[in-house]
Amino acid sequence: MYFNCNGIAVTLVILLFSGWAKSTFAQQQSDIGEIQSELIAQPNKCVAINQGRACFAKVNVSWTLDRPANICLVDSLKSRPLFCWQNVLSGRYLYNMEADKDVQLRLVVVEKAAKQALSDMAIAQTTIKVSWLYKTNSRKRRWRLF
Amino acid sequence: MYAPRFLTVMLFLFAILTANMATAEEDEFQWNIAAELGFVHSPSIIKGAEQSDFSDFIFLNIWLEAYYKGFFIQTNNYRNSGVVGRTELGYEILVEDDYEIDFIYKSYFAGFDQYNAGAVIDELIEELEGIDERKYSPHAGLRYMRYFDKSVAWIDVAYELFGGYHNGWVVDTFYNRVYEIRNWDISVGGGATYFSDKTTDYFFGIDANEVALNRPVYETGSGYRVELESSAQYPISQDWLFTIGATYSHFSNSIANSPIVARQNVIRFRLSVSYVF
């Protein structure tokens, strides 16, 4: 079900430069506004030992829509979508997270996923919080076990 | 006889007077308290001090670590041995990016007597009946600690300065490397400790007044301990830490041949969860 987002983005750019692109875009925005969606990330917390350290997690991401749409899952810290689906009602994705700050996952409708505006068109979003056990990254620590 | 003590005091005073005061960040009060509950298998090198009951294998530690204006305390308030045996006091004399020199005050051997040793508390230990008490006798000295990217190495040179129980020396070295593998911290380390004849003899020598059946007079000479250690830590949540690890210790013949020493090699194992406040 995966398809190339770049191709759609290029198409969109062409449409934006055509005479009727403006009205079409407005119509899509209206349609998107009506989509009811749910986006769940499990776990939604990631804990590393020391402050500033990157946190690793395998996050099960699932989402549902109330009507089929072309959807991309976007990580706020990355420039490209994690995955895209075409004309589906629901999806799952195993996200291999590696981050030293909170990660925001967003569902965006592909028809509007122009490169420069991906993050502004989310129909659902969820946050995976990154925290640390030790709030300081002091080099003083317990170096011995016994 | 008093030269080592005098030298240590002078070194400490000199170090304090010439101390490179800590940076503003290090002037801030920093602390950590953690409660650790776990399982430990820790064969004692002292005869008759073995773990036997289930409760001997379960431990509850309170760890206190505090740093302020160069002073630091690291305390493991172990239920069996009390605060004194596991406290490390110190002062940062010189702190640089990749190394520091500290004044250090700590015990390198736990004290024991005929009623308290290893896992045994307030109960007569047959094998030790009639021995003099070996008191907790912290050593005072200097620590040079060198920091590398993911590892640390240190050497302590310390003298039993204040107690006056044996006036012995200790030279303790250790190297520890941490591997960060995803959210795990895997530590691998090793070190060697040299104990002067006075230190070793105080703890493991047998004086004439302590002689008993199977316990002849014994003079130890100097001794050493070599240790290898590996542990792993994993943050279960924002407050809970899981720890598992093992330490292998090998003692010199001068210590192992003592009539009150049970073994030359010790493997200790520890598994715990800690709540970090």
Side-chain angles (χ1 to χ4, degrees):
Chain A
M1 292 293 282
Y2 179 76
F3 63 96
N4 189 344
C5 295
N6 291 341
I8 291 172
V10 170
T11 307
L12 182 60
V13 170
I14 294 169
L15 292 178
L16 286 171
F17 279 94
S18 70
W20 47 271
K22 192 173 177 182
S23 61
T24 304
F25 185 79
Q27 180 61 46
Q28 283 179 342
Q29 254 190 336
S30 168
D31 288 347
I32 291 162
E34 294 166 8
I35 294 179
Q36 298 297 308
S37 58
E38 185 180 38
L39 176 62
I40 298 170
Q42 285 288 348
N44 60 3
K45 288 176 186 167
C46 187
V47 182
I49 290 185
N50 293 308
Q51 181 145 22
R53 169 112 165 247
C55 196
F56 295 82
K58 287 187 185 299
V59 180
N60 283 303
V61 182
S62 60
W63 53 266
T64 55
L65 308 177
D66 65 346
R67 61 185 172 82
N70 298 332
I71 288 293
C72 281
L73 180 65
V74 176
D75 173 349
S76 60
L77 302 178
K78 292 180 178 160
S79 55
R80 298 186 64 180
L82 295 169
F83 209 82
C84 293
W85 296 263
Q86 191 172 17
N87 197 34
V88 287
L89 272 170
S90 64
R92 287 179 177 279
Y93 182 75
L94 182 62
Y95 172 47
N96 279 308
M97 173 178 159
E98 179 186 350
D100 59 3
K101 54 187 168 186
D102 293 353
V103 171
Q104 221 169 41
L105 294 179
R106 292 171 174 162
L107 274 184
V108 298
V109 176
V110 170
E111 280 81 0
K112 300 181 67 187
K115 283 180 185 172
Q116 70 277 18
L118 268 178
S119 61
D120 296 331
M121 296 184 293
I123 58 169
Q125 65 181 41
T126 188
T127 302
I128 304 165
K129 290 196 76 65
V130 172
S131 56
W132 299 281
L133 188 77
Y134 294 111
K135 305 303 181 289
T136 57
N137 193 15
S138 170
R139 62 184 183 175
K140 291 274 187 193
R141 50 170 285 173
R142 208 177 340 145
W143 290 102
R144 295 292 297 269
L145 187 65
F146 286 94
Chain B
M1 175 179 176
Y2 293 103
R5 180 181 294 192
F6 177 76
L7 184 64
T8 308
V9 171
M10 285 299 104
L11 269 173
F12 177 58
L13 289 177
F14 174 77
I16 293 289
L17 290 172
T18 59
N20 181 6
M21 290 308 290
T23 63
E25 185 185 346
E26 286 158 345
D27 278 347
E28 292 172 12
F29 179 66
Q30 295 179 27
W31 60 274
N32 256 321
I33 298 178
E36 181 184 20
L37 176 67
F39 168 87
V40 64
H41 177 58
S42 181
S44 174
I45 66 162
I46 306 299
K47 280 184 178 172
E50 301 295 352
Q51 295 168 298
S52 54
D53 299 335
F54 175 74
S55 61
D56 293 337
F57 293 88
I58 304 299
F59 68 91
L60 175 63
N61 285 345
I62 304 294
W63 292 91
L64 166 66
E65 297 170 354
Y67 309 95
Y68 184 63
K69 289 187 180 293
F71 290 94
F72 61 86
I73 180 171
Q74 296 163 339
T75 300
N76 175 6
N77 187 359
Y78 187 40
R79 74 179 169 89
N80 284 352
S81 59
V83 175
V84 179
R86 301 293 183 102
T87 300
E88 190 173 291
L89 295 168
Y91 178 75
E92 295 168 337
I93 297 165
L94 179 64
V95 179
E96 297 291 341
D97 287 343
D98 55 352
Y99 76 92
E100 68 181 69
I101 297 172
D102 303 331
F103 169 75
I104 193 85
Y105 184 71
K106 65 172 287 189
S107 285
Y108 293 87
F109 274 128
F112 59 94
D113 59 27
Q114 58 185 330
Y115 299 105
N116 297 281
V120 180
I121 306 167
D122 292 336
E123 191 180 310
L124 181 64
I125 302 165
E126 259 181 54
E127 292 88 335
L128 305 181
E129 189 172 358
I131 65 165
D132 296 333
E133 181 184 2
R134 273 71 167 166
K135 292 185 182 294
Y136 283 101
S137 51
H139 287 68
L142 295 176
R143 167 176 293 174
Y144 172 77
M145 201 159 190
R146 180 71 192 261
Y147 295 98
F148 304 95
D149 184 27
K150 298 291 180 193
S151 61
V152 64
W154 73 80
I155 179 168
D156 293 355
V157 179
Y159 178 71
E160 201 259 314
L161 183 63
F162 302 117
Y165 299 118
H166 52 76
N167 302 132
W169 283 91
V170 170
V171 179
D172 183 48
T173 62
F174 203 80
Y175 173 82
N176 189 291
R177 170 84 161 87
V178 178
Y179 297 90
E180 296 176 353
I181 301 174
R182 294 181 68 86
N183 294 336
W184 287 86
D185 268 8
I186 313 289
S187 292
V188 180
T193 311
Y194 166 82
F195 305 101
S196 74
D197 54 351
K198 287 179 181 173
T199 300
T200 313
D201 201 54
Y202 177 73
F203 286 100
F204 305 110
I206 301 297
D207 293 337
N209 66 302
E210 299 176 305
V211 169
L213 191 65
N214 296 327
R215 200 166 66 212
V217 167
Y218 185 71
E219 218 171 288
T220 61
S222 60
Y224 65 85
R225 178 182 62 195
V226 176
E227 287 194 320
L228 297 173
E229 186 167 287
S230 182
S231 66
Q233 292 191 314
Y234 180 82
I236 302 167
S237 73
Q238 206 170 333
D239 301 312
W240 290 93
L241 179 71
F242 171 78
T243 303
I244 187 169
T247 302
Y248 165 78
S249 305
H250 170 81
F251 293 88
S252 62
N253 289 336
S254 58
I255 293 174
N257 291 339
S258 165
I260 57 171
V261 168
R263 52 179 58 84
Q264 185 161 26
N265 300 297
V266 177
I267 296 177
R268 286 174 287 177
F269 172 81
R270 180 193 197 98
L271 184 148
S272 68
V273 288
S274 303
Y275 184 84
V276 180
F277 292 92

